[in-house]
Amino acid sequence: MSAILERINGCASFLEQKLKEKPKIAVVLGSGLGGFADSIENGISVEYRDIPGFPVSTVEGHRGRFVFGKIGEKPVAIMQGRVHFYEGYSMEDVVLPIRVLRALGAEKLVLTNAAGGIGNGLTPGDLMLLTDHIASFVPSPLLGPNESALGPRFPDMSEVYSNPLQEKARQAALETGVSLKNGVYLQVTGPSYETPAEVRLYKALGADAVGMSTAVEAVCARHMGMEVCGISCITNLAAGLSKAPLSHEEVQETADHVAAQFQKLLRRLLELM
Ligand code: HPA
């Protein structure tokens, strides 16, 4: 067996021993959005640091654990925090959790993040449904020998964010009265925020929001045939679009303000999935 498959299976078997039921849906909670996991009743939580070979986040606002539980009748696996490329992890490490979740049985994936607003009239506090992404500014997580047990060498990316799941997210927004905008997400490596000139470049390229995660996880999930949905919490205007300097504190503060709305929307989306 290849080293990567051994690593995935090792983490998955460790987690399987702790679970009563295999998760069908996986959720990754981004910066400041982790509170949703605390609302799961009778959940089983597993700290990332307790899983042999599993990458552990060093970022403030990222809790670093799985919560396994149920939304309605559906078994879900929730990641409260993720690791990022800028922390020094390889892309293989960054997407390992997604591969472990697939190995556990998850067929659908909801990715969430905090992002800076660039276009589509997005302002701080908005929630944005990802309609597509631009991953051209980060290395592909699929570089290197292809592991054919996971997926094909040249996976199609023409509908990364499933149209049916997008429809469910819009329906969830309508039913809960939470406003949900649309847009294209662009991933950068960070950790520095963008310059105003970079933000103008990304806008010209068609990006509506910019952040430091998600697109590579979505690529990895699509490689394995998972159905993906993405939601950004717009925590700030991207650099140069407001006079204020950017800070992680501002990102967390805005995410805190939106948390209740975000959780309402996510819960309904998961029920509908
Ligand atoms: N840029 C990049 N990543 C981010 C931002 C931003 O403005 N806000 C939150 N995450």
Side-chain angles (χ1 to χ4, degrees):
M1 202 190 291
S2 70
I4 179 67
L5 278 188
E6 268 180 34
R7 202 169 162 213
I8 296 165
N9 293 346
C11 294
S13 337
F14 179 88
L15 289 167
E16 259 163 12
Q17 291 165 14
K18 311 206 176 273
L19 300 183
K20 291 185 218 111
E21 208 173 351
K22 285 172 176 269
K24 282 270 168 245
I25 305 176
V27 182
V28 182
L29 298 172
S31 282
L33 303 173
F36 180 75
D38 300 325
S39 74
I40 302 298
E41 281 169 34
N42 304 318
I44 298 171
S45 70
V46 183
E47 302 287 325
Y48 299 156
R49 63 168 176 266
D50 293 336
I51 309 168
F54 202 82
V56 178
S57 176
T58 57
V59 188
E60 232 174 277
H62 281 254
R63 182 74 171 61
R65 62 170 186 170
F66 279 106
V67 176
F68 298 94
K70 279 195 167 182
I71 301 279
E73 287 306 299
K74 260 169 253 150
V76 295
I78 299 168
M79 288 186 67
Q80 203 169 14
R82 56 155 66 86
V83 297
H84 304 80
F85 190 57
Y86 62 73
E87 293 177 71
Y89 286 106
S90 66
M91 277 302 180
E92 188 180 301
D93 283 330
V94 169
V95 300
L96 179 82
I98 307 300
R99 289 172 166 163
V100 170
L101 287 163
R102 178 74 196 93
L104 285 176
E107 289 156 1
K108 295 177 183 172
L109 174 67
V110 181
L111 296 168
T112 72
N113 59 56
I118 297 179
N120 272 1
L122 291 161
T123 53
D126 281 341
L127 295 173
M128 181 189 94
L129 181 65
L130 274 64
T131 55
D132 204 346
H133 74 217
I134 297 171
S136 317
F137 294 92
V138 288
S140 169
L142 307 179
L143 291 177
N146 185 53
E147 181 47 73
S148 56
L150 297 177
R153 173 75 286 190
F154 301 108
D156 175 52
M157 292 291 147
S158 46
E159 190 185 311
V160 174
Y161 303 93
S162 147
N163 284 328
L165 290 188
Q166 285 187 49
E167 275 317 306
K168 287 195 197 300
R170 291 187 186 102
Q171 191 188 332
L174 215 62
E175 287 180 16
T176 53
V178 173
S179 157
L180 184 62
K181 297 188 175 171
N182 296 297
V184 173
Y185 177 91
L186 183 145
Q187 182 173 355
V188 291
T189 64
S192 50
Y193 289 112
E194 301 68 43
T195 65
E198 285 165 343
V199 170
R200 287 194 296 275
L201 168 71
Y202 301 153
K203 184 170 178 137
L205 294 178
D208 299 306
V210 59
M212 304 176 194
S213 67
T214 302
V216 295
E217 294 159 63
V219 166
C220 168
R222 290 300 300 139
H223 178 234
M224 299 182 292
M226 295 176 86
E227 238 192 309
V228 182
C229 186
I231 301 171
S232 288
C233 171
I234 305 299
T235 52
N236 55 280
L237 287 172
L241 300 179
S242 88
K243 290 200 177 76
L246 306 193
S247 73
H248 188 55
E249 288 67 39
E250 179 192 6
V251 167
Q252 286 186 294
E253 264 170 42
T254 313
D256 280 347
H257 281 299
V258 190
Q261 296 284 92
F262 168 77
Q263 291 185 24
K264 199 155 68 158
L265 174 73
L266 180 57
R267 179 170 291 276
R268 187 66 192 133
L269 168 61
L270 294 171
E271 286 167 0
L272 291 173
M273 275 170 72

